[in-house]
Amino acid sequence: MRLFKVTACIPSPEKVRTQRELQNTFFTKWVPYDSWFAEQQRIQKQGGRIIKVELCTGGRQVNVGN
């Protein structure tokens, strides 16, 4: 199974005393190749941006047994 390692940044509102502040949340997760487009849409709809994408399992032009 091919997996992407995605590092992204999403702004998350946190209530700080009386005013609202936006604080960026960075996260890294492994996403299956088949779910990549949906994950990309989810991150962008939340106002985030994708910082880095790496191919973790499998390589280009390699049969990984799918």
Side-chain angles (χ1 to χ4, degrees):
M1 173 179 231
R2 289 192 288 185
L3 294 172
F4 289 120
K5 182 177 168 187
V6 179
T7 304
C9 171
I10 294 180
S12 63
E14 287 196 6
K15 200 168 189 177
V16 179
R17 293 189 187 156
T18 57
Q19 67 187 54
R20 293 177 66 84
E21 263 183 34
L22 281 179
Q23 185 172 7
N24 289 333
T25 303
F26 290 86
F27 66 90
T28 301
K29 71 188 286 188
W30 292 40
V31 180
Y33 181 77
D34 299 334
S35 309
W36 163 241
F37 185 72
E39 184 65 28
Q40 181 183 12
Q41 294 294 317
R42 186 185 71 77
I43 292 170
Q44 291 176 344
K45 280 182 183 174
Q46 292 180 359
R49 61 188 181 124
I50 297 168
I51 297 170
K52 184 167 65 168
V53 179
E54 298 176 53
L55 183 62
C56 287
T57 310
R60 291 179 12 192
Q61 305 290 321
V62 176
N63 182 4
V64 290
N66 289 3

